Amino acid sequence: MVTRARAVLKIPAIPVALSGAVKQALPIVLGYVPVGFAFGVLALKNGISPVNAVLMSVIVFAGSAQLIAVGLIGAGAAPLSVIATTFVVNLRHVLMAASLAPFLSSWRKRSLAWFGMQLTDETFAVHSVRFHRDERDRAETFGINAIAQLGWVGGSWLGVAASTVISDVRPLGLDYALPAMFIALVVAQVKDTTHVLVGLVAAVLSLTFLEVGVGQWNVILATVAGASLGTGVATWTRR
């Protein structure tokens, strides 16, 4: 119906997709710019060159992994330790990609590879909701990812540029921007009490695992436990 309306009104598909992408990616960009700024400042403070800091945001595009890598590099950790640690931190992307895979079965491998490269926690949250609504326009999907990455790279570049006048980002409160954005994305997906229960249980388990020394595995374990609980509750209530 949307395609027919575009044809009747003679609206080009790409501008419509871009408009939709901008609207859906804007909350992500508002979170990415300040956190990317903090990353840029910290990268320079830990001895990473301006070019490599920005390239890291372009090639890696993984906020938590980049921030952890910067800390490890600043502490003089071995390259293998940096690679192994960031690999474990990003293992949750396997779960996210597996969750979205059934909606992308018709895509070519190169499209899947590019989509996977730009998949983050935040874009996963947006696409998870869109795909379940059967909103799978490819141009809009890649537009959301590209705009989100532009926000992250732009924030990183601003942080690099401002690193000479800012010695510590903590007094600015920029470290709270990412958790605040996660809260907004989670709230937007809550539709019933099961979702509330799963979110609260996963949050409590994640903090508990972290306190008992599980380390970066806390997010993965809490996600699996919360998802299993949600599946069990949903199956039980449908009987």
Side-chain angles (χ1 to χ4, degrees):
M1 182 173 292
V2 173
T3 304
R4 185 182 302 173
R6 287 173 182 170
V8 172
L9 298 175
K10 298 182 179 180
I11 300 175
I14 292 180
V16 172
L18 181 60
S19 174
V22 170
K23 187 182 299 181
Q24 294 175 80
L26 184 59
I28 300 176
V29 172
L30 292 177
Y32 275 6
V33 170
V35 181
F37 182 92
F39 164 75
V41 173
L42 292 173
L44 270 290
K45 300 300 180 188
N46 284 279
I48 298 176
S49 71
V51 173
N52 285 336
V54 176
L55 279 178
M56 196 173 180
S57 289
V58 173
I59 298 171
V60 180
F61 187 35
S64 56
Q66 288 182 229
L67 289 168
I68 290 172
V70 162
L72 291 173
I73 293 171
L80 187 60
S81 297
V82 177
I83 294 172
T85 302
T86 53
F87 175 76
V88 171
V89 170
N90 280 339
L91 268 180
R92 67 188 186 283
H93 287 211
V94 175
L95 297 175
M96 294 190 291
S99 173
L100 297 180
F103 301 102
L104 308 175
S105 57
S106 63
W107 286 24
R108 294 182 177 179
K109 289 183 179 178
R110 62 185 179 185
S111 296
L112 290 173
W114 189 250
F115 178 82
M117 182 269 169
Q118 292 184 314
L119 182 64
T120 65
D121 303 81
E122 298 75 22
T123 56
F124 166 76
V126 172
H127 293 316
S128 181
V129 174
R130 292 178 61 243
F131 291 170
H132 278 93
R133 292 174 180 166
D134 203 24
E135 298 174 4
R136 304 180 210 173
D137 184 273
R138 197 171 304 192
E140 185 174 277
T141 299
F142 281 112
I144 292 171
N145 291 352
I147 294 168
Q149 187 169 14
L150 282 175
W152 176 254
V153 175
S156 301
W157 180 80
L158 289 174
V160 168
S163 61
T164 55
V165 294
I166 297 177
S167 58
D168 190 356
V169 297
R170 286 175 295 183
L172 301 178
L174 297 178
D175 52 336
Y176 182 66
L178 200 57
M181 182 183 60
F182 273 123
I183 292 172
L185 291 171
V186 168
V187 169
Q189 296 185 67
V190 172
K191 293 182 174 60
D192 53 39
T193 52
T194 302
H195 290 171
V196 176
L197 175 65
V198 169
L200 290 176
V201 169
V204 171
L205 286 177
S206 180
L207 293 174
T208 302
F209 290 146
L210 187 63
E211 288 296 322
V212 299
V214 173
Q216 296 296 334
W217 289 91
N218 66 314
V219 174
I220 297 174
L221 295 175
T223 300
V224 173
S228 300
L229 173 66
T231 302
V233 171
T235 303
W236 182 71
T237 54
R238 287 172 185 168
R239 291 180 177 175

